[in-house]
Amino acid sequence: MPHKIVSKKQLSENVFTADVEAPLVARSCKPGQFIILSISSEYSERIPLTIAGADIKTGTIRLIWQRLGKTTAELSNLKVGDSIENILGPLGQPTHIEKFGTVVCTGGGIGSAPLLPIAQGMKQAGNKIISILGARNKELIILEDEFRALSDELIIVTDDGSYGTKALVTGPLEEVCRRQPKPNLAVAIGPAIMMKFCCAITKKYEVPTVVSLNTIMVDGTGMCGGCRVEVGGQTKFVCVDGPEFDGHLVNFDLMMKRMSAYKNQEQQAIRQYDEHNCKIGLKKR
Ligand code: NAD
Ligand code: FES
């Protein structure tokens, strides 16, 4: 069934958001869950995207993505009124939400998108929310207004100091963990290397930590094994056991190695897509 794009906006240089018709998903999804989409039926790649929000009244879900590979480039080129052919979901386990006390939510770059519904859910459950948003520069900070609205404290950092404090997210995270009383829970979402170092800090201060993993996925139902990770010495499937795990138990080094397995093919696919698009553009002129 085609899913119409009802609104679309560019959030930063390579980050886009769209509200997409998917009434059944909107009705049943919970924070932390994701969908797998394919843009057109026959030859499209399937990619997982976190559900960044849902509106039961309009029957739409909010997707946020970074133009990184061929499919996210194709998605970025779709316009309002265009359709995504298949949306499968909601998939994965919802976030475990309860009143923990103080929750420090750390989002690195595009990782702030999947973090948003989790932080909103934690706030609704009565937690005090300290949010840390980090990006390479000011233009790449996304969802600042949304996080400001739900947070008791919002800390912004940029790698180059063009906005907020000049630091990586691990700087303020350590400062928050050193406070007395320390946070009761940390949630960290972003690049794997960021989550690895966030977990090293929270482990030092014994703050339980949840991370959301975005491995390679194919079917999203636990059948192909493409998304497997090692957690506490055991093999887990991100699509059905996750995407959230105890960050102190995740083998990030193995995960990063597996995630880079198809880097050459991914680069070749986006190169060919961009070249093809350029040629179409030249013919049109
Ligand atoms: P980025 O590389 O610009 O990093 C964002 C921020 O993370 C930085 O500004 C910094 O504060 C922090 N960071 C990065 N490396 C760090 C390190 N070594 N130590 C401490 N802090 C560090 O991020 P980006 O380009 O927006 O993100 C792209 C990556 O995020 C992709 O690899 C994508 O796969 C991943 N991603 C993850 C999820 C998820 O659910 N985990 C969701 C979307 C995207
Ligand atoms: Fe195939 Fe998880 S995506 S097992």
Side-chain angles (χ1 to χ4, degrees):
M1 184 188 114
H3 301 267
K4 205 199 270 177
I5 296 175
V6 296
S7 71
K8 186 185 161 209
K9 209 164 80 177
Q10 191 159 359
L11 296 180
S12 70
E13 194 189 341
N14 280 317
V15 179
F16 299 81
T17 180
D19 290 320
V20 181
E21 281 177 357
L24 295 179
V25 181
R27 209 180 300 153
S28 53
C29 68
K30 296 201 171 66
Q33 290 188 296
F34 65 95
I35 52 114
I36 288 192
L37 64 79
S38 57
I39 294 176
S40 59
S41 288
E42 255 185 286
Y43 302 106
S44 283
E45 180 190 25
R46 293 156 61 92
I47 59 159
L49 285 180
T50 312
I51 304 164
D55 187 333
I56 300 175
K57 275 192 220 130
T58 56
T60 55
I61 56 169
R62 187 177 191 195
L63 302 177
I64 300 180
W65 69 92
Q66 185 176 31
R67 189 190 191 280
L68 209 60
K70 174 184 173 278
T71 302
T72 48
E74 262 183 279
L75 201 55
S76 309
N77 287 339
L78 295 181
K79 299 180 193 65
V80 171
D82 288 345
S83 289
I84 294 166
E85 189 65 32
N86 294 303
I87 290 184
L88 172 69
L91 299 170
Q93 302 298 323
T95 308
H96 173 72
I97 290 179
E98 64 170 67
K99 188 166 176 183
F100 293 97
T102 299
V103 181
V104 55
C105 297
T106 305
I110 182 79
S112 303
L115 184 65
L116 180 63
I118 299 170
Q120 284 168 333
M122 290 291 184
K123 181 69 187 174
Q124 274 165 19
N127 292 290
K128 177 182 170 189
I129 306 293
I130 303 172
S131 300
I132 302 170
L133 300 184
R136 271 168 278 142
N137 58 49
K138 185 179 179 188
E139 280 64 46
L140 299 177
I141 292 283
I142 58 166
L143 304 171
E144 179 183 346
D145 292 343
E146 287 84 344
F147 274 97
R148 198 173 292 286
L150 71 88
S151 305
D152 295 273
E153 183 181 348
L154 173 66
I155 303 167
I156 295 184
V157 294
T158 48
D159 298 12
D160 66 357
S162 54
Y163 194 45
T165 307
K166 185 174 192 292
L168 301 177
V169 290
T170 38
L173 179 61
E174 176 143 29
E175 185 271 312
V176 170
C177 288
R178 254 196 241 120
R179 291 180 192 174
Q180 286 302 332
K182 65 184 180 188
N184 303 88
L185 181 75
V187 183
I189 310 186
I193 188 77
M194 179 209 102
M195 294 190 283
K196 176 183 166 174
F197 284 113
C198 284
C199 288
I201 286 170
T202 55
K203 196 167 182 186
K204 187 164 114 190
Y205 293 93
E206 296 179 345
V207 176
T209 302
V210 173
V211 293
S212 177
L213 306 182
N214 71 323
T215 50
I216 293 165
M217 283 193 197
V218 183
D219 62 308
T221 60
M223 310 248 289
C224 71
C227 66
R228 70 187 180 277
V229 285
E230 192 185 284
V231 182
Q234 291 185 329
T235 297
K236 297 278 178 191
F237 292 162
V238 173
C239 66
V240 287
D241 301 318
E244 289 166 21
F245 293 98
D246 177 342
H248 296 164
L249 298 180
V250 173
N251 184 339
F252 283 106
D253 292 332
L254 183 61
M255 176 182 142
M256 286 187 275
K257 201 171 150 206
R258 297 205 69 233
M259 281 174 76
S260 62
Y262 299 104
K263 216 157 210 124
N264 290 342
Q265 288 88 338
E266 285 164 5
Q267 282 167 354
Q268 194 184 349
I270 180 74
R271 232 183 358 257
Q272 283 173 349
Y273 175 76
D274 281 342
E275 279 169 14
H276 179 69
N277 259 7
C278 284
K279 279 185 196 137
I280 292 172
L282 283 174
K283 275 181 198 159
K284 275 185 190 161
R285 265 177 238 142

